[in-house]
Amino acid sequence: MTFRIHPAIGIARVGNSLEYYIGPETMAGMPQEGTDLNGGLPIRPDTDGETITSADVRDGAGALKRQAARFTVFEYDDAPLGSFPSGDGTPVGIGTVLSDGRTVTDIIWTVHLANKKANCWLEVDEEGIASYTGGGLPPLRNPGFGGADDPSAPERLAKLVIDAGPRTVQGTGASVEFDTATPASAYVGGAVTELPDYPKQFPDTATFPDLVCPSGEAITTLGGLRTDSKGRLEVLGGHGLACGFGANALPLMHDVNNDGWLDDTSDGPVTAVLVLDDGSEVPLEGSAWAVATDPGYAPQTLNIVSLWDDIYNTWIEHFDVNPGIYANGAYLPDYQPDFYEDIFPVFRAASLQMWNTNLPDSAIAAHDSIDNITPEDDPGNRLYVKALIRNPNPDPDGSNDFATGSPLMPLSLGDAGKAFLTLSTSQYFFVMQWFDKKFTATPPVPLGPGERLDKVVLANCLGGRFSPGIDLTFIVRDTELYNSDWTNPAIGPFRIAMAPLDYGSAQAGTPFLGVGYTPTRPGQAGVEPGDICKFMAIPWHTDYNSCATHLPEPNPGGDVNSRKDPHVFEGINTTLFWSWPAQRPVAVYTFDDLAANGGALPRQKFSVRGEGTKAQPSPAGPGPFPAQNVGRFQDRENILLNWQKIGVVMQGPAIEGYDPSYPTNYYLEVASLFEDDADPVIPWPNTISDNPSG
């Protein structure tokens, strides 16, 4: 027998409350048996399947609760893995009798969280991973800090890296914090060991005399660990804080790359040791990874391309994880994807976009109809839908659909040189197989319970548009990120390649973590704590604020800012599109307005609204184009103080007081703390020269 931790990558989310709930462990938006909920709602701690309602989003003081990532050990046999999924796996908790008759008496968990954003390279929107290929590197954030442009310079590692160090927790009902006061600890040499000399690094006024924390709170923790009644691990993130330092701190000048800033998102490895009733201890060979990122403001809304779709696509095409789908550089024409696992989520996700965007009535009707597609759908409807899907593959003549907007779908923005979003190549293949009636509604090998956790956690996250994204970014397309030894039953697929961490060598005053993982570099030591989130926006708040609607980039008609006449747009695409409509709601229907409207859909409001969000002329543009500035704070500093006021989009039956006579498939905003509208929502299409404010 052997053991693996699932999910392979767990997602926690920051919040300004001490309270928390467990992250989604069902696939967002997909039907759940015996409930009106379409799935994906987080669950309450210490329950199995009791869903969060609107009453659970905020604590008694109105603070936004954090989302914890829960990790579970699963037992497997020793047979090498040949394909994903295997369909196997049995969950293991304290008290579980294993297949060899021994009983688990304890589980020792070690997690190490860190944040390296300020010592990373710039995120370059149009290039993504391409900026690292061929030995290339983008410019550094905080250039010249400490007199060095080398990320390995000691002062940069000591001051620009937030490192909480490792923490160990075991038993049931246990807790520990990743804060400045709690000693670091790890399982070292067969025992849980405190590490008094571990060099924990947090920003304070001794490190940065000019430290500015807009909320009034300094970053003193990256979160904490809990164990439940079964000994399963719960990883909590930080409290959504950001602090600035130095002359570059204010004003915030960029949506993604802000020098002189730090935030309390984080990531790091999760390892475990089983303690058995015969006195033996079994360290698990493989690790999982925890990532603490932005809040989940729409936990039931599927992304058309999810993080799972991007990661699975990488593993299909580069790791031979399912040779029945893809072999010798090509998708196999006889493969039959599963309608409910591989195909329908694309249609359901397309339908759900209507609840977070400002679509016109005609488009809402079309999106609603997509949700009614069935495996047996008529050929005419299939052909109609097929003609609307943007092809991710270039034609032999070099032409492509990447630069084509409406009517091709998905109607949101792409990345890495694609003006518009496309399905991943594997998603596109699956959907085309359905069009050709090559599919099944009964998968030959269903996902095992641990494998399903791997999938559903990532299926609830953003993929497709990594500029840089919300949860993870373009590095998920890099084969060097992963442990390729996936056929080893103690490792399995989708694992981050963890760097060896010799905690016995930790010395006070000397940074423990180095530069760590660099994309596309073969043969490197592996991924350190903080290496996953470091490619994301700094602070995350400014990117979230900005990613409402934008022009396509690259713009199919050319560069807007290079026009000779700044007021003439001939040949330029001036229509605005959504960046992350599932993960970052732009326009929403509120439950309060629905109830006041007798159950009829009311007018929409911007998710980010109220004082400070009224559209102003663009400081970077040639004239007053308010439409490209609506639905966000005009001064970036304001999002640092107001992010926790944003409401959460939930399905009607999960909303306290929802009238059972109302439709069950409405997704409405609840728990917003914004009081005022600033700009009215007008239906798409909008152009940069629209003026909804009059």
Side-chain angles (χ1 to χ4, degrees):
M1 63 182 177
T2 191
F3 305 93
R4 298 200 296 272
I5 303 168
H6 294 280
I9 302 172
I11 303 294
R13 299 189 183 278
V14 302
N16 65 326
S17 173
L18 295 176
E19 299 180 28
Y20 70 98
Y21 50 79
I22 305 299
E25 294 184 341
T26 58
M27 189 167 171
M30 297 303 290
Q32 295 184 80
E33 186 176 351
T35 177
D36 286 331
L37 298 178
N38 278 338
L41 265 180
I43 65 173
R44 296 189 179 98
D46 294 320
T47 69
D48 288 298
E50 187 177 351
T51 60
I52 291 286
T53 70
S54 60
D56 298 309
V57 171
R58 297 188 181 278
D59 65 20
L64 189 68
K65 291 184 183 180
R66 291 177 288 176
Q67 175 185 298
R70 184 164 68 183
F71 293 88
T72 303
V73 175
F74 286 76
E75 180 185 357
Y76 295 89
D77 62 33
D78 292 323
L81 297 171
S83 181
F84 173 87
S86 69
D88 299 327
T90 302
V92 171
I94 294 175
T96 297
V97 179
L98 303 176
S99 60
D100 66 359
R102 292 183 292 174
T103 299
V104 177
T105 59
D106 204 355
I107 304 175
I108 303 169
W109 297 94
T110 299
V111 181
H112 186 162
L113 296 181
N115 178 312
K116 295 182 176 182
K117 285 185 177 182
N119 194 39
C120 189
W121 300 275
L122 296 178
E123 197 282 328
V124 183
D125 286 354
E126 292 187 39
E127 297 182 19
I129 202 168
S131 59
Y132 292 86
T133 57
L137 287 173
L140 269 180
R141 287 171 173 163
N142 294 294
F145 182 89
D149 281 337
D150 178 1
S152 65
E155 186 171 357
R156 292 184 66 97
L157 293 174
K159 294 183 177 181
L160 298 182
V161 174
I162 303 175
D163 181 10
R167 298 291 188 278
T168 301
V169 68
Q170 62 189 104
T172 60
S175 67
V176 68
E177 302 301 315
F178 288 99
D179 59 14
T180 55
T182 306
S185 60
Y187 185 85
V188 178
V192 175
T193 305
E194 278 201 2
L195 305 171
D197 293 330
Y198 190 89
K200 291 182 290 183
Q201 299 172 179
F202 284 88
D204 55 26
T205 53
T207 306
F208 300 108
D210 51 3
L211 191 69
V212 176
C213 299
S215 68
E217 296 180 69
I219 299 172
T220 60
T221 181
L222 292 181
L225 303 178
R226 308 287 186 268
T227 58
D228 68 6
S229 60
K230 298 179 181 180
R232 295 176 295 190
L233 178 70
E234 298 165 354
V235 179
L236 284 69
H239 295 293
L241 301 178
C243 293
F245 60 88
N248 292 325
L250 293 171
L252 286 156
M253 298 300 295
H254 199 272
D255 293 328
V256 174
N257 302 296
N258 284 289
D259 290 337
W261 281 89
L262 303 156
D263 68 28
D264 66 355
T265 59
S266 63
D267 70 85
V270 177
T271 60
V273 178
L274 298 184
V275 181
L276 306 181
D277 60 353
D278 63 359
S280 62
E281 296 185 352
V282 183
L284 274 61
E285 182 177 344
S287 64
W289 211 270
V291 179
T293 184
D294 305 19
Y297 294 111
Q300 290 179 281
T301 307
L302 276 170
N303 295 278
I304 295 177
V305 183
S306 71
L307 191 54
W308 166 258
D309 296 318
D310 261 308
I311 291 177
Y312 191 39
N313 194 85
T314 298
W315 279 76
I316 287 173
E317 295 185 359
H318 298 283
F319 290 101
D320 201 27
V321 75
N322 194 324
I325 298 176
Y326 184 92
N328 300 317
Y331 286 92
L332 303 181
D334 293 331
Y335 177 75
Q336 295 191 0
D338 175 32
F339 180 81
Y340 293 104
E341 288 283 348
D342 302 320
I343 299 163
F344 183 65
V346 174
F347 302 142
R348 170 59 59 82
S351 174
L352 291 176
Q353 309 304 295
M354 62 186 277
W355 299 103
N356 296 353
T357 54
N358 53 315
L359 291 175
D361 289 343
S362 58
I364 289 174
H367 279 68
D368 201 30
S369 68
I370 292 173
D371 196 47
N372 297 316
I373 290 175
T374 67
E376 298 79 19
D377 217 63
D378 67 89
N381 194 29
R382 289 184 191 219
L383 292 175
Y384 172 72
V385 175
K386 182 178 182 179
L388 294 178
I389 296 180
R390 189 175 290 109
N391 189 343
N393 303 294
D395 291 330
D397 63 1
S399 63
N400 60 66
D401 291 342
F402 311 157
T404 305
S406 178
L408 294 186
M409 307 296 282
L411 199 58
S412 53
L413 300 176
D415 71 2
K418 293 183 178 181
F420 295 99
L421 182 66
T422 70
L423 301 181
S424 70
T425 49
S426 55
Q427 283 181 295
Y428 187 77
F429 167 70
F430 295 151
V431 172
M432 291 302 110
Q433 292 294 88
W434 176 72
F435 289 132
D436 292 338
K437 297 186 177 182
K438 297 178 180 179
F439 68 94
T440 178
T442 305
V445 181
L447 293 167
E451 295 172 327
R452 179 154 293 281
L453 279 180
D454 288 349
K455 176 176 181 175
V456 299
V457 167
L458 299 173
N460 285 288
C461 298
L462 172 77
R465 175 167 169 79
F466 296 133
S467 295
I470 285 184
D471 310 302
L472 296 180
T473 188
F474 59 85
I475 60 172
V476 302
R477 299 169 181 162
D478 178 23
T479 58
E480 300 302 322
L481 179 69
Y482 301 106
N483 187 335
S484 62
D485 188 22
W486 69 271
T487 60
N488 180 343
I491 305 296
F494 318 123
R495 303 277 164 176
I496 304 297
M498 176 182 172
L501 299 172
D502 179 13
Y503 292 120
S505 67
Q507 298 179 19
T510 301
F512 180 79
L513 299 176
V515 175
Y517 160 79
T518 306
T520 75
R521 283 6 183 219
Q524 58 189 309
V527 182
E528 291 184 348
D531 279 346
I532 302 297
C533 70
K534 72 184 182 185
F535 299 94
M536 303 295 288
I538 183 168
W540 65 265
H541 316 66
T542 54
D543 196 28
Y544 187 93
N545 181 60
S546 73
C547 282
T549 54
H550 294 280
L551 289 173
E553 187 178 351
N555 193 302
D559 182 2
V560 174
N561 294 317
S562 67
R563 290 166 292 127
K564 293 181 180 179
D565 186 336
H567 301 289
V568 176
F569 295 96
E570 185 176 353
I572 303 291
N573 187 322
T574 62
T575 303
L576 297 163
F577 297 86
W578 307 281
S579 287
W580 307 321
Q583 209 81 355
R584 196 288 195 200
V586 176
V588 296
Y589 302 94
T590 77
F591 169 61
D592 289 342
D593 287 347
L594 180 88
N597 209 33
L601 284 178
R603 70 177 181 88
Q604 288 183 297
K605 295 178 179 177
F606 286 111
S607 172
V608 178
R609 58 186 183 269
E611 185 178 355
T613 64
K614 189 172 181 60
Q616 302 293 326
S618 171
F625 306 128
Q628 66 179 346
N629 297 321
V630 297
R632 70 202 81 190
F633 286 101
Q634 304 305 301
D635 293 325
R636 296 183 179 94
E637 290 82 359
N638 284 335
I639 188 64
L640 302 183
L641 300 174
N642 292 286
W643 62 272
Q644 74 278 5
K645 295 181 181 178
I646 299 171
V648 177
V649 177
M650 305 179 80
Q651 192 182 358
I655 298 173
E656 295 289 317
Y658 193 76
D659 191 318
S661 68
Y662 296 166
T664 61
N665 63 341
Y666 279 7
Y667 290 76
L668 309 166
E669 182 202 72
V670 293
S672 173
L673 300 184
F674 292 126
E675 296 181 357
D676 303 310
D677 291 328
D679 293 295
V681 176
I682 60 173
W684 187 89
N686 314 103
T687 70
I688 60 175
S689 55
D690 287 341
N691 189 345
S693 299

